[in-house]
Amino acid sequence: MGEVTPIRFSEAVSASLEDGVLVVTIDNPPVNAASADMRSGLLAAIRHAGTEDAISAVVITGAGKTFVGGADIKEFGQPATEPILPEVVEAIEKSSKPVVAAINGAALGGGLEIALACHHRIAGDRAILGLPEVKLGIVPGAGGTQRLPRLVGIAKAVELIAAGRSVAVSEALSLGIIDQVVAGNPAAGAVAAARDLASQPLRRTGELALPVEDPQVIDEAVDKALSRARRGAAPAEAVQLIRRAGERSLAEGLAEERATFLRLRDSDQAKALRHVFFAERAAAKVPGLEGVEPRTVRTIGVIGSGLMGSGIAVSALNAGYRVIVVEQDAEAAEKGFDRIAGLLDRAIKSGRIDAAGRAERLLRLSIGSVQDLSTADLVIEAVFDDLDVKTELFEKLDKIVRPDTVLATNTSYLDPDAIAAATSRPERLCGLHFFSPAHVMRLVEVVRCGKTAPEVLATGIAVARRLGKLPVVCGVCEGFIGNRIFSAYRREAEFLVEDGAWPQEIDAAMEDYGFAMGPFAVFDLAGLEIAWARRKRQAATRNPSERYIEIADRLCEMGRFGQKTGSGWYAYPDGKRTVDPEATAVIEACRKAKGIAPRRVSSDEIVSRLLAVMAAEGDALLAEGIAERASDVDLVMINGYGFPAHKGGPMYVAKEGLHP
Ligand code: 3HC
């Protein structure tokens, strides 16, 4: 290696000259975001390279574990400062000397756009690459929608950009997003590649012709992306920009992209999604856990292999853990194994894993009895929600596992403090409340019980995060954050029906607002019998002056438990949700019995009332100290209950006065 001369272009950007290659390092903690200072430094470095004869090529890399984490989200909402990112990106692509991206870590949003403008891309094996802008309610604003399709084709670009999906290096390489992968830090390889490229014609992404594609494949990708977007504006706008990439010049495409980016950046949806972004970061900061290290977990025991247990087991296998699934007898064990293997088969079908991945996962799985849990570092119980069953199980478990094993219950409604009290070390128990299907749903409520030790809570959070989940910490109350708000939502939805709204009108209003499913469709999907059993339990202690709706009780008495019995609030001939005259008659009879003259309820009233009760219950949870912050409540409702992320969550809507 020749002389090393450090040059500083801005606070965040410095470079050294290595054998005629200017190695530019972006050092802008925490994630090397493309702030105003970073942009001006990077542009200065590229311009410097262009004018210095001693420099034959440039390498751009990031300090720390990120390449560039994208535009600086904290700058959004403020006037743009020159130079803007597209100007920097253009200077890179147009450089007469080769520019190589040494992608040492995450290259996201504007970070990937910088890399796409480089003439060659080498990534370290732990990097991830993606254009997640739609998750912030915007489209890529520095060429992503125009350059990525030139590398991967329109269909693939639509799939990635409209979902904001990031890819690991193996996929990025096979798609042609990057040119090379190296183990560890890619900087040295990039210097060698840059030197080689200095004597060759440059491959400028923006000048590439679009790959030839089957129009039907494009249409399918577009349809899929649009149907997933629900009411979110950004994915549809991104799809439009990508589709037109082939029809216009690069300059025209970039101009339209930029205009769309600026328009969306100031939209209500983008503001709400920025709230969600920062809410997720805030949720990771748990009071009382500062400096607390989680325990090491390698082996996870999962008790119960029903729908929930098998989903948790698959999540744990996907995350690389050894998993011991516990069942009562050989028959149940066999069924559990089949369920887990079936979920892995589906993952193969959808292309998420391959046959070797399935085989490797199954090697890490064993099925046994409670006695086999002596080697587990964490045990998650996911058996039938019955206090006697659970306390008896934990009493037994307590004597089998090591003293430092963390115990977790997946109970939805029972008191985890009562379960902890059945053990000799209640401080080692926390709640890990997964949502079904557990291998898909991102939310996990991590329940801090009365005696949970900080290290135990930290372990629950760390494992949830490694499973790729979003852990939200909460205290103990019936239903925790999510189900308690959901109960209030259910109650109000039923009030609305008694007042005169039809379930199908309520569902339509909420789906139009952006919910994946309206409340009555959800009740039918989840089944009506659990809530019915709870109501019967509570009947003796219920305040008789409280408004009580009997419609659901009548439906249950008729054996209408929802989709699984073919009818509930709706009927399901051929599996299709249909308004059922029999349910309508039940509703009318219940209204009549109370002497209620039904009135027309507008969709605005439906949405307003349902959002208001969610926020009111959220306020109560905050006042009781069950939820730490309002934004945690928003995250629970978005990630566990289908609240549209682009609306920001019920607490955000209430705070910003965004009710219809
Ligand atoms: N701008 C400003 N701050 C950012 C940021 C960004 N792009 N990305 C992360 N941060 C901040 C976080 O708020 C957090 O701050 P805090 O410590 O004060 O809470 C800190 O950086 C660390 O973030 P994480 O906890 O998320 O760190 P991880 O190490 O877990 O993850 C990451 C790193 C993968 C880069 C992750 O932060 C991430 O996904 N960031 C967002 C990426 C993104 O959405 N980029 C697109 C931006 S929009 C864009 O680029 C527009 C362009 O097209 C013009």
Side-chain angles (χ1 to χ4, degrees):
M1 202 63 77
E3 77 282 17
V4 177
T5 320
I7 317 169
R8 183 155 290 283
F9 293 101
S10 75
E11 283 268 312
V13 180
S14 63
S16 58
L17 196 57
E18 296 181 20
D19 287 344
V21 176
L22 188 71
V23 180
V24 180
T25 303
I26 297 161
D27 187 2
N28 191 20
V31 298
N32 297 336
S35 61
D37 171 82
M38 182 278 216
R39 297 192 302 271
S40 69
L42 188 54
L43 184 61
I46 297 296
R47 287 189 175 147
H48 173 78
T51 54
E52 288 292 313
D53 289 342
I55 298 174
S56 61
V58 180
V59 164
I60 301 175
T61 195
K65 64 184 176 78
T66 314
F67 174 68
V68 173
D72 189 339
I73 299 168
K74 296 194 175 99
E75 280 182 8
F76 290 2
Q78 296 166 23
T81 324
E82 303 274 330
I84 57 171
L85 193 58
E87 194 182 337
V88 182
V89 163
E90 187 183 13
I92 293 170
E93 186 164 76
K94 287 202 170 147
S95 160
S96 58
K97 296 176 182 174
V99 185
V100 176
I103 304 168
N104 53 303
L108 297 172
L112 180 57
E113 290 173 303
I114 289 172
L116 292 176
C118 292
H119 309 115
H120 192 79
R121 287 163 287 281
I122 304 185
D125 50 2
R126 308 192 75 160
I128 53 161
L129 301 96
L131 293 170
E133 282 87 344
V134 295
K135 294 187 178 163
L136 293 165
I138 53 174
V139 293
T145 65
Q146 305 301 298
R147 291 195 178 86
L148 190 65
R150 286 174 157 84
L151 290 176
V152 304
I154 289 184
K156 201 72 202 178
V158 162
E159 186 211 311
L160 294 176
I161 297 175
R165 180 164 84 82
S166 300
V167 294
V169 283
S170 53
E171 191 176 350
L173 186 66
S174 69
L175 289 174
I177 300 175
I178 52 176
D179 303 297
Q180 208 181 323
V181 176
V182 295
N185 194 317
V191 171
R195 255 198 315 266
D196 286 351
L197 287 176
S199 57
Q200 295 172 28
L202 296 182
R203 183 176 182 255
R204 294 190 170 89
T205 312
E207 291 174 358
L208 299 176
L210 278 152
V212 178
E213 283 173 89
D214 179 347
Q216 200 186 328
V217 174
I218 296 180
D219 287 345
E220 279 167 16
V222 167
D223 287 350
K224 199 164 165 200
L226 295 181
S227 73
R228 282 184 46 158
R230 309 215 304 263
R231 301 265 150 196
E237 299 263 14
V239 164
Q240 187 76 356
L241 292 165
I242 299 162
R243 280 206 99 154
R244 295 182 56 183
E247 297 164 10
R248 296 163 307 172
S249 70
L250 177 70
E252 285 167 329
L254 292 177
E256 192 186 347
E257 181 196 71
R258 187 70 188 170
T260 310
F261 166 80
L262 291 175
R263 176 165 48 80
L264 290 181
R265 198 186 58 177
D266 298 327
S267 66
D268 286 344
Q269 290 198 1
K271 280 181 208 148
L273 285 162
R274 286 203 286 279
H275 160 73
V276 175
F277 177 87
F278 289 114
E280 289 190 8
R281 271 78 203 164
K285 298 180 176 78
V286 180
L289 293 192
E290 301 82 2
V292 176
E293 285 297 317
R295 290 185 193 153
T296 305
V297 174
R298 293 196 183 88
T299 302
I300 297 182
V302 180
I303 308 184
S305 62
L307 201 62
M308 192 55 99
S310 55
I312 296 171
V314 167
S315 267
L317 290 170
N318 287 342
Y321 289 107
R322 252 175 295 145
V323 177
I324 305 168
V325 167
V326 169
E327 262 305 350
Q328 281 171 335
D329 53 43
E331 197 190 337
E334 200 180 313
K335 277 197 187 140
F337 179 86
D338 288 348
R339 215 171 277 128
I340 291 167
L343 292 176
L344 294 176
D345 287 339
R346 266 199 259 162
I348 295 184
K349 255 197 191 141
S350 67
R352 274 171 288 134
I353 62 171
D354 56 17
R358 176 188 190 273
E360 187 275 327
R361 281 166 176 76
L362 289 179
L363 278 179
R364 282 186 277 110
L365 171 71
S366 58
I367 307 229
S369 70
V370 181
Q371 303 300 331
D372 298 312
L373 293 176
S374 57
T375 57
D377 305 304
L378 163 71
V379 177
I380 305 171
E381 163 277 313
V383 302
F384 183 67
D385 228 7
D386 178 285
L387 190 60
D388 291 340
V389 173
K390 296 208 187 212
T391 44
E392 197 185 309
L393 175 65
F394 273 89
E395 243 178 76
K396 197 165 160 195
L397 198 56
D398 193 36
K399 300 187 181 90
I400 292 166
V401 297
R402 291 191 320 260
D404 64 337
T405 297
V406 171
L407 301 181
T409 171
N410 180 51
T411 183
S412 301
Y413 284 104
L414 301 175
D415 179 359
D417 282 328
I419 298 172
T423 69
S424 60
R425 294 184 175 83
E427 65 279 4
R428 64 149 124 185
L429 187 134
C430 66
L432 283 179
H433 183 220
F434 289 80
F435 289 72
S436 191
H439 60 296
V440 175
M441 296 289 283
R442 208 173 151 229
L443 179 66
V444 176
E445 286 176 318
V446 182
V447 186
R448 191 201 297 250
C449 307
K451 295 199 169 146
T452 306
E455 217 182 283
V456 168
L457 191 70
T459 307
I461 295 168
V463 169
R465 206 167 284 141
R466 187 159 150 208
L467 297 182
K469 307 289 180 198
L470 175 68
V472 175
V473 173
C474 65
V476 175
C477 72
E478 182 164 318
F480 311 122
I481 297 177
N483 278 338
R484 200 164 118 191
I485 294 183
F486 194 70
S487 292
Y489 178 63
R490 176 192 290 270
R491 208 165 40 234
E492 191 67 18
E494 292 181 0
F495 289 171
L496 279 163
V497 171
E498 205 178 61
D499 290 347
W502 295 108
Q504 61 273 22
E505 289 174 342
I506 297 170
D507 282 354
M510 297 315 277
E511 286 164 18
D512 200 44
Y513 182 76
F515 274 79
M517 284 171 105
F520 293 95
V522 172
F523 304 154
D524 272 1
L525 181 68
L528 307 185
E529 72 284 5
I530 294 178
W532 187 36
R534 276 183 60 227
R535 286 196 301 276
K536 285 196 278 194
R537 270 202 313 273
Q538 292 164 347
T541 52
R542 188 176 303 123
N543 178 353
S545 63
E546 227 175 60
R547 186 174 177 187
Y548 182 78
I549 310 291
E550 280 143 16
I551 304 168
D553 295 348
R554 295 292 95 80
L555 293 173
C556 289
E557 285 157 12
M558 294 161 79
R560 301 175 65 108
F561 294 137
Q563 272 199 37
K564 67 182 95 163
T565 55
S567 66
W569 288 93
Y570 295 95
Y572 295 86
D574 309 323
K576 210 171 154 268
R577 192 203 315 175
T578 317
V579 175
D580 183 358
E582 225 175 88
T584 304
V586 172
I587 293 167
E588 281 173 336
C590 287
R591 285 175 186 155
K592 207 160 157 212
K594 283 199 187 167
I596 293 172
R599 63 178 176 88
R600 227 196 81 68
V601 186
S602 71
S603 50
D604 276 1
E605 181 182 339
I606 291 171
V607 175
S608 279
R609 277 174 58 180
L610 289 176
L611 296 186
V613 291
M614 287 190 217
E617 201 64 38
D619 280 336
L621 287 162
L622 287 169
E624 291 165 33
I626 305 294
E628 191 64 46
R629 9 178 138 65
S631 60
D632 287 355
V633 174
D634 287 335
L635 292 180
V636 167
M637 298 320 289
I638 290 169
N639 293 283
Y641 298 84
F643 196 104
H646 61 260
K647 297 283 190 187
M651 307 306 281
Y652 175 82
V653 169
K655 185 169 131 265
E656 300 289 317
L658 296 172
H659 284 265

